[in-house]
Amino acid sequence: MVPLATLIGRELRGGKSEKPAIRYGHAAFAKRGEDYFLVRPDCLRVPGDASSSFSVFAVSFCLTALRGQIFDGHNGVSAAVFAKEHLLDHVMSAIPQGIGREEWLQTLPRALVAGFVKTDIDFQRKGETSGTTATLVVVDGWTVTVASVGDSRCILDSQDGVVSLLTVDHRLEENTEERERVTASGGEVGRLNLCGGKEIGPLRCWPGGLCLSRSIGDTDVGEFIVPIPHVKQVKLSSAGGRLIIASDGIWDALSSELAAKACRGLPAELAAKLVVKEALRTSGLKDDTTCLVVDIIPTDHTHLPLSPRKQQNKFKSLLFRKKSQNFSGKPNKLSSVGSVEELFEEGSAMLEERYC
């Protein structure tokens, strides 16, 4: 077991004290104008202290639910706009003031859960029925923390050539655990039933007909749709890596592996444009398509070098154990995949389990 404090101490003692450079690029192609993104590359944990800097990147997408036999945009994009404007502030307000970086990183996963829930509660008070997915990424030094609800996705293309999924899709069609959670809570999961009993389309949660099990907003689809995010935290090696954060318009067209391969060796801005272009070439413009590419690189590099081609360069999902010290103080094993040290993961949809 390797505590987070030990990992940070190694970084400080072993010549990795210098923070990496952050390079990022954005590209989008709009069909309905319902994707929103957030880029905050120069946030500060301690006001006025440049050494306490961290970066935030996020993507949100307005959800479409089924009412009767028609699709509507859940009264527009208000939930996505609200999340963009308030989610980060709610996360930061859940972190105690005056704590050091080690404790800040340990507190961050729990603060992300609190921030997502607070954003959902505040939006519900507005009395609107809009809904949104959200994927929020915090980069502090070589440590990356990701929180997500819905099916916007974040992948990591590390320098050892391994592509890793840092989020979990909350599509009922594909996520067995979420289907079981919804039905165990009294919800109904099924497809749209046409006259004559013919079923069409993806699995949906009823009432409401939403095909996702987690989101912010969506007050009219019942208590089975929750805003509690899946959270994952990893630590990169000093070789760095590339994050690709994108809405489902990208992932419906490209696999994680194909998206990573399409832009390797290119600067972040060009890489984002190429991923969007490849998605459009593959499936056409069926949905809003938004992509953020974030390179976490040594300061002496202008862009992320092309990762080596290895035979084992296959997609790997980092389904890892929790960090060595969880919130209840119980020790857990720490595992690693390639050049990535895995610190924390929790995906429970039950608040009592996230705050114990």
Side-chain angles (χ1 to χ4, degrees):
M1 295 182 294
V2 185
L4 179 60
T6 302
L7 295 175
I8 295 174
R10 287 178 185 172
E11 178 176 325
L12 295 175
R13 293 190 301 271
K16 258 176 71 176
S17 58
E18 187 174 326
K19 283 196 170 186
I22 304 296
R23 304 281 187 268
Y24 61 90
H26 162 258
F29 211 99
K31 184 178 180 67
R32 294 177 298 187
E34 296 177 342
D35 277 11
Y36 288 82
F37 70 96
L38 174 71
V39 173
R40 297 276 184 85
D42 297 311
C43 301
L44 296 176
R45 287 185 292 104
V46 181
D49 182 1
S51 67
S52 69
S53 65
F54 64 96
S55 302
V56 175
F57 305 90
V59 169
S60 60
F61 174 66
C62 178
L63 296 177
T64 300
L66 186 66
R67 299 179 180 181
Q69 294 187 12
I70 63 171
F71 290 92
D72 74 33
H74 263 211
N75 293 328
V77 299
S78 55
V81 173
F82 189 86
K84 176 183 175 180
E85 294 177 347
H86 298 286
L87 179 55
L88 179 58
D89 289 339
H90 288 331
V91 171
M92 295 305 296
S93 67
I95 301 178
Q97 298 295 312
I99 61 177
R101 178 171 179 257
E102 172 197 336
E103 190 176 356
W104 191 87
L105 286 171
Q106 290 177 335
T107 304
L108 183 56
R110 187 171 178 175
L112 285 162
V113 174
F116 272 66
V117 172
K118 179 71 162 63
T119 301
D120 179 74
I121 291 172
D122 286 358
F123 182 74
Q124 287 189 33
R125 288 172 178 159
K126 292 167 62 67
E128 300 184 37
T129 55
S130 174
T132 185
T133 70
T135 296
L136 183 70
V137 180
V138 179
V139 181
D140 187 329
W142 304 97
T143 301
V144 177
T145 311
V146 183
S148 64
V149 293
D151 57 358
S152 299
R153 188 183 298 177
C154 176
I155 67 170
L156 167 66
D157 189 11
S158 59
Q159 278 304 96
D160 59 0
V162 175
V163 179
S164 309
L165 185 60
L166 300 184
T167 52
V168 168
D169 289 349
H170 294 127
R171 290 186 177 185
L172 289 166
E173 183 73 34
E174 301 162 5
N175 194 318
T176 303
E177 289 185 4
E178 288 295 278
R179 291 201 301 270
E180 292 174 350
R181 176 185 66 80
V182 169
T183 54
S185 301
E188 182 181 347
V189 175
R191 306 183 195 281
L192 177 61
N193 214 322
L194 297 180
C195 295
K198 182 180 180 181
E199 295 184 338
I200 64 169
L203 289 173
R204 300 176 182 274
C205 178
W206 304 94
L210 199 65
C211 60
L212 301 177
S213 61
R214 303 195 196 189
S215 68
I216 292 173
D218 290 307
T219 57
D220 60 337
V221 296
E223 69 275 17
F224 314 113
I225 309 302
V226 298
I228 303 168
H230 174 272
V231 180
K232 184 173 288 190
Q233 188 177 71
V234 299
K235 189 169 185 293
L236 309 186
S237 74
S238 58
R242 163 168 287 175
L243 304 174
I244 301 178
I245 313 157
S247 61
D248 64 336
I250 295 291
W251 309 118
D252 286 343
L254 302 175
S255 69
S256 300
E257 184 71 30
L258 285 176
K261 285 184 175 180
C263 62
R264 281 188 181 133
L266 299 176
E269 187 70 43
L270 182 57
K273 293 177 181 178
L274 192 60
V275 170
V276 170
K277 182 179 179 179
E278 183 65 17
L280 294 177
R281 187 192 67 81
T282 301
S283 64
L285 183 58
K286 298 179 180 178
D287 201 350
D288 286 359
T289 305
T290 300
C291 179
L292 286 169
V293 172
V294 181
D295 288 344
I296 306 167
I297 58 179
T299 54
D300 57 348
H301 287 61
T302 57
H303 64 275
L304 199 66
L306 187 64
S307 57
R309 295 185 180 274
K310 296 183 178 180
Q311 190 170 359
Q312 69 269 29
N313 184 16
K314 297 179 180 178
F315 175 75
K316 284 189 178 181
S317 177
L318 294 184
L319 300 177
F320 54 85
R321 307 177 189 91
K322 297 178 184 178
K323 62 178 182 175
S324 58
Q325 189 102 18
N326 67 13
F327 297 132
S328 61
K330 299 177 182 178
N332 294 283
K333 293 182 179 179
L334 182 75
S335 61
S336 64
V337 175
S339 59
V340 179
E341 293 185 276
E342 304 151 359
L343 305 178
F344 178 92
E345 181 181 27
E346 180 58 71
S348 172
M350 307 298 292
L351 271 182
E352 57 268 26
E353 295 180 7
R354 305 300 287 269
Y355 285 135
C356 65

